Amino acid sequence: MAQKHSTSSRQQEKAGVAYKQQGLVTTATTTATSTVSVEDDMDSDRQRIDSMFPDSASLEGIEVVADNMRRRLGSVHETMRTLLRAQSDNSSSNQQQQQSMESTRIAIDDLYQRISEMRAKARTSERTVLDITQDIKALDFAKRNLTQTTTAMRRLQMLIAAVRQLRQLKIQKRWGEAATVVSAITGLSEGFSGYEQVRPVSSLLSSARELQKDTAIQAATFVERGFDTQGLLTGEAGQMRNACECVQATGTTDRVIGFYCTLQLRAYAAIFQLDDDVSQLENVSRRYAWLRRILQNHAEMHASVFPDSWKVAEQLSRRFAEATRDQLSELLATREKVDADQLLAALADTLAFETQCNKKFGIVANNSDGLAVYEGSGEQAVSFVGSISCAFEPYMAIFVRGEQAKFAALVTQAQSAPVADDDPSLSVLASSTDLLYQFRESLRQCAALSTGQAMYDLAVVFGQSLSSYARNVLIQGLPQTPQLDDLKHVCLVINTADYCASVAAQLESKIVERIDKAYADRVSFGPCRDALLGAINAGIRALVAAVENMCEPAFNALAQGPWHTLQTVGDQSAYVSMIASAVDAATLSVRRHVSGSRYLRSYCDKLAVRLCEKYSAAIMANRNHQEEISEVGAEQLLLDAQALKSVLLAVPAIGAEEDKKAQPPNTYARIVTQGVGKIEAVLKAILAPSDPPEALADRFLLLFPKAPRDTFQLVLNLKGIRSADHHLYHKSLQRMIQDTNNNAASEPSVATYSTPVAKGTLPAYMEHALSASAPLASQRNERDNRNKNKPDGHGRMPSTASSAMLFANRSSLVGRSESPAVFSPSGTGLKSGAASSGDLPQTLLAARDGRLQQQQQPDPLGITGVGSSASAMSPRASVFSYTAESRNAPSDGELGGSAADGTNSPVLASLAANATATRSKINENLRKFMSNMRRN
């Protein structure tokens, strides 16, 4: 310790010397720095003096400067004194710090010395206390050992006395006292568990165990001799109970209980033999009646012999259940045929007996985990449910087959029974309620019998029966040719199928809740719901078929109408009124009897589709009578189609309690619009002129962009074009399709005036007129090369203008009222409405004015080409439509003139004359049509 202190002192002295040296060095450095700073100041003062007195004339103010220098010198002296004072203060401060550190070190050494002295004194005191208490500890150990030895000797004496006493009690058969002594020996023997190596103690324990075993055997034999071979009590009940308590003390109660149960059930095996009539399945209730008598006799005569904790009656019932289960399993296995009614009756009696046993012995199901426990104590128990009824489980298929036969009989009965649909309160078929009631009863019965494989098989039978009911009763019960009087029955079929589908979903959920978890995932009523949905669809189709049958006279009138010889267009035809009347009557009846609104919507959708198909088929049937449809007839049919569309759009509101003027659903309106739109497109194609063929083909291509060949053939047939000329029209259509595809592939978004006209893509008279402009091709090319880079040139039409012009021309053909867009040669692009006089060549102004006058004429039918903004001839054949459809038309330069110089082109004049002649014919037809409309 002293060495440590000396080492620490030396380290501190070295540190103090180093600190002092560092202070001296710091002071010297500070002094040198100050000296350098003073020299710098002197040099700066000299420079300042030289700058202040550069010549002798400036020495006049030397007194003032001298005063300033004196004041500055005084300031410098004051600074030096301050620095010296600070240096002196630093030296005294370092000495004080060294003194403080030394005093602190001395105080720490003193404290450490005191702590060491206190620790030494504590150790001395501890040794003194141990010396004092050592004798006391020895006395404690001796006392503890003496106490244990005394206790062991006393227990040993008691054990020897108890063994001696038990021998005497066994000989005297004093079983009550012997039971107490046996318990005492058992308790005393546990106290010598650590003395087996001591020979006298080990010998005594072995003799005690042998004596207990002999006593238990003699007590059990005494109890067994208290009953005769018939199971009757012959001994004294009190002594036998004491003997049972002695047996219980030794832990060998199973022997006595087994003997008693076997003795009591010996008569059961003798009475209910396998071949006897009393043992048959129909007499299973007699077995349970026999056990009830045995239990009653036990309660009256034998219950006092056995302790209550043995639960002998419960043990007797369990052994009876095991014997009965084995006998019933053997009986069912040996029988060739098992009657379903007898099986169910026996199973019902068995389940009732098992439930009674649980109730008698206080066995209930735990709410938390579902395990069986004893009521009151809460101890775990074994339920009687399933102890005997499990023998019936492999034969529950007989029950399922019996239920299946019952359901099949109900379906057959419903199939053959007449339908009573005259009851106004009847919303579903009565046969469905009967069938579903049987389902409910069968499920309740099966849930009481089994919740395993049998319930799953029954669920499968439910689904099959519902599917059979849907096919054989609902679908087959629909009328083949339904009429107005059959609509209520069809609606009942739809309501019944919907009701059965909803009950099937509820039935599925209930079965999943009750059935065992191993079968829950396999339960599904999907196939039967699909069958019921098929019945609903069949019913809706029957409703639509009924409306079709009601409208058949109207469609016959349409098919046989004089559309070829019709001279004027009048109001809607009579057959439209017939269709409207039939639809109103049928829809009103459907709304009154169908319960689900979604089925009414489905009926409306399917009805709209079918009526449009029937309307189209009736028009084609007119051609089958070798009668073409004239333009007037097509106009009348268009008018009728619009009336039919109005009738169909009003179907969802027929019979509705809400506002009848409400708009139909969007989906339904789309179906009607599409269906009628196809018919209108065909009729508008019929209105196109048949000469030249390109006009008809072009109109058809605009109405049907996909150009279906069969539809085009239909249009040709309806227009009455000779079969020998059909190939000309097909060739024109094919040529236009190829031309459109080629142009779309080469120039998908740009239309030009400089592109040459493909030969064969325009009508013959335009081909002849354009051939005259061939010498001007070179002039056109030169002009294009000059103007292609100019912002206002005519070299190439912008793609947006091309698209807009194409849209304007097509929109006019489908009956829209927008004015067509025209291209401005001045470079301003598209202009909406009529073109100005500066936008078109002078040779076209007159034709343009006449065209605009025609555009203002009304188009009541929305038929394009008749009084509309587009001419009746093909846009490809018209020189008045500056659209992308006429991108092959030659420019102004090609035709021999321009709009700028005002010269007239003979080619344009010829084309305008031909177009005007064609349009005059159309205008004549229009005037006739409008006069007829005003007259009507």
Side-chain angles (χ1 to χ4, degrees):
M1 181 64 69
Q3 184 178 359
K4 291 182 179 179
H5 287 307
S6 62
T7 303
S8 177
S9 300
R10 286 194 298 269
Q11 292 177 355
Q12 292 178 0
E13 291 175 359
K14 291 180 180 180
V17 171
Y19 181 77
K20 290 178 180 180
Q21 293 177 355
Q22 183 179 4
L24 293 176
V25 172
T26 304
T27 303
T29 304
T30 305
T31 304
T33 303
S34 301
T35 303
V36 174
S37 177
V38 171
E39 293 177 355
D40 294 339
D41 291 342
M42 292 177 65
D43 292 338
S44 63
D45 289 340
R46 292 191 191 100
Q47 294 176 0
R48 189 179 299 110
I49 290 173
D50 292 340
S51 63
M52 292 173 60
F53 305 105
D55 52 15
S56 58
S58 60
L59 296 175
E60 295 179 358
I62 193 171
E63 294 296 336
V64 178
V65 176
D67 292 339
N68 292 334
M69 295 297 292
R70 291 187 191 98
R71 286 194 297 271
R72 183 173 180 80
L73 181 62
S75 175
V76 170
H77 289 168
E78 183 66 26
T79 302
M80 293 177 64
R81 283 193 296 270
T82 302
L83 292 174
L84 292 174
R85 193 182 298 112
Q87 184 176 2
S88 177
D89 293 341
N90 290 335
S91 299
S92 61
S93 176
N94 292 335
Q95 292 177 0
Q96 291 177 0
Q97 290 179 358
Q98 291 180 1
Q99 292 176 0
S100 298
M101 290 177 62
E102 186 66 21
S103 61
T104 302
R105 183 185 61 77
I106 294 171
I108 291 173
D109 293 341
D110 184 53
L111 179 61
Y112 179 78
Q113 185 66 25
R114 290 182 182 181
I115 291 173
S116 299
E117 291 177 357
M118 292 176 64
R119 187 181 299 170
K121 290 181 181 180
R123 290 176 181 173
T124 303
S125 299
E126 183 179 0
R127 284 194 299 269
T128 303
V129 172
L130 290 176
D131 293 340
I132 294 173
T133 60
Q134 186 173 6
D135 296 337
I136 298 175
K137 288 182 178 180
L139 291 176
D140 290 339
F141 289 146
K143 180 181 179 182
R144 187 182 305 119
N145 293 334
L146 182 59
T147 301
Q148 291 178 357
T149 303
T150 302
T151 303
M153 293 302 295
R154 187 181 298 112
R155 288 180 178 178
L156 184 61
Q157 291 178 359
M158 294 172 62
L159 180 59
I160 293 172
V163 170
R164 187 182 301 112
Q165 184 181 5
L166 183 57
R167 287 194 181 98
Q168 296 296 327
L169 294 175
K170 183 184 69 172
I171 296 173
Q172 298 174 4
K173 297 183 179 181
R174 296 161 58 184
W175 306 115
E177 299 176 7
T180 304
V181 175
V182 168
S183 300
I185 291 175
T186 302
L188 292 172
S189 298
E190 294 176 355
F192 293 96
S193 58
Y195 298 90
E196 287 84 357
Q197 297 179 357
V198 180
R199 184 175 298 176
V201 176
S202 177
S203 177
L204 180 60
L205 292 176
S206 299
S207 62
R209 285 193 290 269
E210 291 295 333
L211 181 60
Q212 284 180 323
K213 186 183 296 184
D214 294 341
T215 302
I217 292 174
Q218 289 189 11
T221 304
F222 181 79
V223 175
E224 292 172 359
R225 291 177 180 176
F227 295 95
D228 59 7
T229 56
Q230 302 298 325
L232 300 177
L233 182 62
T234 58
E236 202 276 323
Q239 293 184 358
M240 294 175 66
R241 185 179 183 87
N242 293 335
C244 290
E245 292 177 353
C246 183
V247 172
Q248 183 178 4
T250 58
T252 57
T253 58
D254 292 341
R255 173 182 172 178
V256 178
I257 295 176
F259 166 79
Y260 178 76
C261 293
T262 303
L263 182 64
Q264 296 298 322
L265 294 177
R266 185 181 300 170
Y268 176 72
I271 295 173
F272 296 94
Q273 295 183 0
L274 188 62
D275 298 334
D276 293 343
D277 294 339
V278 72
S279 303
Q280 300 306 312
L281 198 61
E282 60 271 16
N283 296 323
V284 69
S285 59
R286 301 182 63 178
R287 296 174 181 268
Y288 308 134
W290 180 89
L291 179 63
R292 293 188 186 96
R293 291 195 299 270
I294 294 298
L295 292 177
Q296 183 179 1
N297 181 63
H298 167 78
E300 295 176 355
M301 305 296 296
H302 305 161
S304 58
V305 175
F306 306 100
D308 296 338
S309 60
W310 286 18
K311 300 179 180 179
V312 176
E314 180 180 347
Q315 296 297 328
L316 180 61
S317 300
R318 293 191 183 280
R319 306 232 175 167
F320 168 81
E322 294 176 359
T324 304
R325 179 193 62 202
D326 296 339
Q327 286 190 6
L328 290 177
S329 299
E330 185 178 1
L331 177 64
L332 291 172
T334 56
R335 296 188 65 170
E336 297 180 357
K337 184 178 180 181
V338 179
D339 186 73
D341 295 336
Q342 294 180 1
L343 179 68
L344 294 179
L347 182 56
D349 293 339
T350 302
L351 292 173
F353 170 75
E354 292 173 347
T355 304
Q356 290 176 1
C357 288
N358 279 343
K359 185 176 181 180
K360 179 178 180 62
F361 302 118
I363 300 175
V364 295
N366 190 6
N367 294 330
S368 60
D369 52 10
L371 298 177
V373 295
Y374 288 106
E375 188 177 8
S377 63
E379 297 179 1
Q380 188 173 357
V382 179
S383 176
F384 277 88
V385 176
S387 58
I388 303 176
S389 58
C390 62
F392 296 91
E393 188 70 25
Y395 305 95
M396 285 299 295
I398 300 174
F399 161 73
V400 175
R401 287 195 296 269
E403 295 300 305
Q404 186 177 11
K406 186 189 302 182
F407 301 151
L410 289 175
V411 172
T412 304
Q413 181 181 357
Q415 187 176 2
S416 60
V419 179
D421 53 3
D422 52 351
D423 188 0
S425 63
L426 191 65
S427 60
V428 296
L429 297 178
S431 58
S432 63
T433 58
D434 297 339
L435 181 63
L436 295 176
Y437 174 77
Q438 290 298 327
F439 282 180
R440 189 160 45 249
E441 292 298 318
S442 298
L443 179 60
R444 181 185 59 80
Q445 188 176 8
C446 182
L449 302 178
S450 173
T451 57
Q453 181 67 35
M455 182 171 285
Y456 172 73
D457 295 339
L458 187 62
V460 174
V461 170
F462 286 163
Q464 294 175 353
S465 300
L466 280 177
S467 299
S468 176
Y469 182 78
R471 292 190 302 269
N472 300 327
V473 178
L474 298 181
I475 296 179
Q476 290 188 5
L478 294 173
Q480 297 296 327
T481 55
Q483 298 295 332
L484 181 61
D485 296 338
D486 300 325
L487 292 181
K488 181 178 180 180
H489 173 66
V490 176
C491 293
L492 287 178
V493 170
I494 296 174
N495 297 341
T496 302
D498 179 63
Y499 169 67
C500 292
S502 62
V503 173
Q506 299 175 6
L507 197 62
E508 180 180 358
S509 62
K510 287 187 177 182
I511 292 176
V512 170
E513 291 177 358
R514 297 187 178 185
I515 202 170
D516 296 342
K517 294 182 179 180
Y519 300 94
D521 297 337
R522 299 167 56 185
V523 176
S524 176
F525 280 74
C528 78
R529 285 197 293 268
D530 293 341
L532 293 169
L533 183 60
I536 294 174
N537 292 332
I540 294 175
R541 288 194 299 269
L543 294 177
V544 175
V547 180
E548 291 182 25
N549 295 332
M550 296 168 62
C551 296
E552 192 64 29
F555 288 119
N556 291 336
L558 169 62
Q560 298 174 4
W563 310 116
H564 176 62
T565 60
L566 192 65
Q567 298 297 325
T568 59
V569 178
D571 198 358
Q572 68 181 25
S573 302
Y575 71 88
V576 178
S577 301
M578 297 169 62
I579 293 175
S581 176
V583 169
D584 289 347
T587 305
L588 188 63
S589 177
V590 171
R591 180 179 291 276
R592 186 182 302 115
H593 297 106
V594 169
S595 58
S597 59
R598 60 183 182 276
Y599 303 131
L600 181 62
R601 292 195 299 268
S602 179
Y603 156 78
C604 294
D605 295 343
K606 294 181 182 298
L607 179 63
V609 173
R610 284 299 302 158
L611 289 184
C612 291
E613 292 176 354
K614 292 285 290 184
Y615 191 87
S616 178
I619 293 176
M620 290 185 290
N622 181 270
R623 177 56 188 166
N624 295 334
H625 292 89
Q626 303 301 323
E627 293 182 3
E628 63 187 52
I629 299 178
S630 63
E631 294 183 1
V632 178
E635 293 172 359
Q636 180 64 50
L637 289 175
L638 272 172
L639 181 64
D640 295 342
Q642 289 294 328
L644 178 63
K645 180 178 180 180
S646 301
V647 171
L648 293 179
L649 290 176
V651 169
I654 296 176
E657 297 179 358
E658 57 271 12
D659 186 11
K660 294 185 178 181
K661 296 182 179 180
Q663 295 295 329
N666 295 333
T667 304
Y668 177 77
R670 191 182 308 115
I671 292 173
V672 174
T673 303
Q674 291 177 355
V676 178
K678 293 178 181 179
I679 300 173
E680 291 178 341
V682 173
L683 295 175
K684 290 177 181 180
I686 295 174
L687 287 174
S690 57
D691 187 19
E694 287 79 3
L696 178 59
D698 190 79
R699 173 63 63 85
F700 180 81
L701 187 61
L702 292 178
L703 292 172
F704 298 93
K706 295 183 179 180
R709 187 179 181 86
D710 54 347
T711 306
F712 188 63
Q713 183 64 40
L714 173 64
V715 171
L716 297 179
N717 294 335
L718 293 177
K719 286 184 67 67
I721 297 176
R722 295 184 307 169
S723 301
D725 298 335
H726 285 185
H727 68 282
L728 298 176
Y729 292 88
H730 285 290
K731 287 182 179 180
S732 299
L733 179 63
Q734 187 65 28
R735 187 165 54 250
M736 288 184 178
I737 294 174
Q738 292 177 357
D739 179 63
T740 302
N741 295 336
N742 294 335
N743 292 333
S746 60
E747 299 177 68
S749 61
V750 179
T752 67
Y753 284 132
S754 60
T755 304
V757 180
K759 187 175 182 180
T761 59
L762 295 177
Y765 63 90
M766 291 189 68
E767 294 279 358
H768 176 73
L770 292 177
S771 63
S773 64
L776 301 177
S778 59
Q779 299 177 11
R780 181 198 63 193
N781 294 334
E782 292 177 0
R783 184 200 61 191
D784 291 341
N785 293 330
R786 290 193 305 269
N787 299 331
K788 64 181 180 180
N789 295 325
K790 295 181 180 180
D792 57 346
H794 309 302
R796 187 169 295 272
M797 181 186 295
S799 60
T800 55
S802 173
S803 301
M805 293 167 70
L806 174 62
F807 175 78
N809 191 30
R810 288 182 178 272
S811 64
S812 65
L813 284 172
V814 295
R816 297 191 179 184
S817 60
E818 295 89 358
S819 299
V822 297
F823 183 76
S824 172
S826 63
T828 57
L830 289 174
K831 291 185 178 181
S832 179
S836 64
S837 60
D839 293 334
L840 296 176
Q842 296 295 328
T843 54
L844 300 180
L845 292 179
R848 192 275 318 269
D849 296 337
R851 178 189 178 194
L852 293 180
Q853 292 175 3
Q854 293 175 6
Q855 289 177 357
Q856 300 177 3
Q857 297 179 6
D859 185 11
L861 295 180
I863 304 172
T864 61
V866 183
S868 63
S869 60
S871 64
M873 69 166 58
S874 169
R876 299 182 184 272
S878 175
V879 297
F880 306 111
S881 299
Y882 280 80
T883 67
E885 290 294 331
S886 59
R887 57 180 175 269
N888 292 330
S891 62
D892 297 339
E894 288 181 283
L895 299 178
S898 63
D901 57 10
T903 58
N904 295 329
S905 171
V907 177
L908 286 175
S910 176
L911 293 176
N914 292 333
T916 304
T918 304
R919 180 170 285 110
S920 62
K921 297 179 181 180
I922 298 174
N923 293 337
E924 182 65 25
N925 293 332
L926 177 63
R927 282 191 292 272
K928 292 180 180 180
F929 169 74
M930 295 304 299
S931 62
N932 293 332
M933 290 293 294
R934 285 192 293 271
R935 188 184 310 111
N936 292 330

